Amino acid sequence: DRGAVEKGLERGLRLYRARGYSLARIEATRFDTTGRLSITVNEGIISKIIVEGGVRTQDYIVLREFPLEPGDVFEIDKARRGITNISSTKLFEYVYLEVAYDGGKPVLTIRLKERPSQLMRFGLRADNERNLQGSIDIRDENFRGSGMELGLNVIGGSRNKEAVLEYRASRLFDTYLTFNVGVLASSYDTYVY
C-alpha cells in the first residue's frame, strides 16, 4: 500500500528531525523483485563551510567558534550554538547561517557583517584636587583580523600622567587560553598632609 509506505517514510524523517538532524532527507526508494523496500537516506553530511562578509577577520577566527566541520552530519543544535559563539566574540553586527545544496550535499554559508573595530575615545574629568584631566583611548579590537586587541590609553593632567599599552586575546589560537600583555608608565604627584 503506497499510503502506508509514505506514512512510514514520514515517520522516519520525523525521528531524524526530532534528534536534530534537520537536513536528513530520503533520496530514493525502490522495491526489489522480492517485495523488499530499499531506502536511501541522505543524513545531511556537510560538504563545505564558507564564510562570507568578513572583510578583516580571518576565516579561521569564525570557524574555530563553529562546532561543525565538513564531513560532519548537520545538527541544528550545534549550528545554533556555533552562531551564538560567533556572535559572542562581539566582532560582528550580525551573523546568520544559510544552507544550500551542491550536487545533493549541503553547503553551509556563514554570513556576517563586521563591527567597526578601530576606535578612538576621548574623556574629560574635573575635580578640586587634580583639576582638569583628559583621556584618550586608541584601540583596534580586531587587530589585523586576528580577533586580538591592541590599545593605547593615555590619561593625564597637571599632577598625574599615565600611559598604558596593551595587547590581549580572549582566545589564544584554537585553545581556550587567554593572553594579556601590557606596559604601563605613570607619574602621580600627591599632596602630603
Side-chain angles (χ1 to χ4, degrees):
D1 179 12
R2 184 176 176 93
V5 169
E6 286 179 2
K7 284 182 183 178
L9 293 174
E10 286 175 20
R11 259 186 274 129
L13 279 178
R14 273 196 300 264
L15 285 173
Y16 269 106
R17 298 220 162 75
R19 288 183 170 84
Y21 302 108
S22 57
L23 298 184
R25 61 185 181 168
I26 296 172
E27 290 189 336
T29 58
R30 86 184 132 85
F31 284 99
D32 63 13
T33 55
T34 64
R36 188 180 333 178
L37 176 64
S38 295
I39 304 169
T40 305
V41 177
N42 180 340
E43 294 177 326
I45 296 173
I46 302 165
S47 67
K48 200 177 349 177
I49 301 177
I50 302 167
V51 178
E52 288 191 1
V55 177
R56 294 185 66 213
T57 305
Q58 299 170 22
D59 288 354
Y60 88 90
I61 299 294
V62 175
L63 294 174
R64 77 178 180 194
E65 302 295 335
F66 197 71
L68 295 170
E69 296 178 359
D72 290 350
V73 175
F74 181 84
E75 294 179 55
I76 192 70
D77 292 335
K78 283 186 177 180
R80 281 188 189 125
R81 188 171 72 235
I83 295 300
T84 301
N85 291 349
I86 295 166
S87 295
S88 297
T89 64
K90 297 181 181 168
L91 297 173
F92 308 103
E93 287 185 23
Y94 63 79
V95 180
Y96 64 92
L97 184 67
E98 288 181 357
V99 179
Y101 286 88
D102 183 18
K105 294 186 178 182
V107 175
L108 305 183
T109 303
I110 301 170
R111 294 201 187 275
L112 42 87
K113 181 178 179 193
E114 292 177 336
R115 290 181 195 264
S117 65
Q118 297 169 333
L119 308 170
M120 186 178 292
R121 298 179 184 114
F122 299 97
L124 285 174
R125 174 183 169 170
D127 62 33
N128 60 354
E129 187 173 337
R130 298 271 161 217
N131 304 321
L132 186 64
Q133 300 177 66
S135 70
I136 184 168
D137 185 13
I138 303 168
R139 74 185 48 246
D140 188 345
E141 294 180 334
N142 190 6
F143 183 64
R144 302 185 76 195
S146 65
M148 296 184 186
E149 185 176 327
L150 177 66
L152 173 66
N153 192 1
V154 179
I155 302 168
S158 60
R159 300 195 53 232
N160 64 305
K161 293 160 191 58
E162 180 176 294
V164 179
L165 178 66
E166 61 182 351
Y167 186 65
R168 70 173 120 182
S170 57
R171 266 188 87 177
L172 191 58
F173 306 112
D174 283 340
T175 68
Y176 289 100
L177 297 173
T178 60
F179 173 79
N180 190 358
V181 172
V183 176
L184 167 71
S186 99
S187 168
Y188 197 76
D189 184 15
T190 306
Y191 289 128
V192 178
Y193 298 99

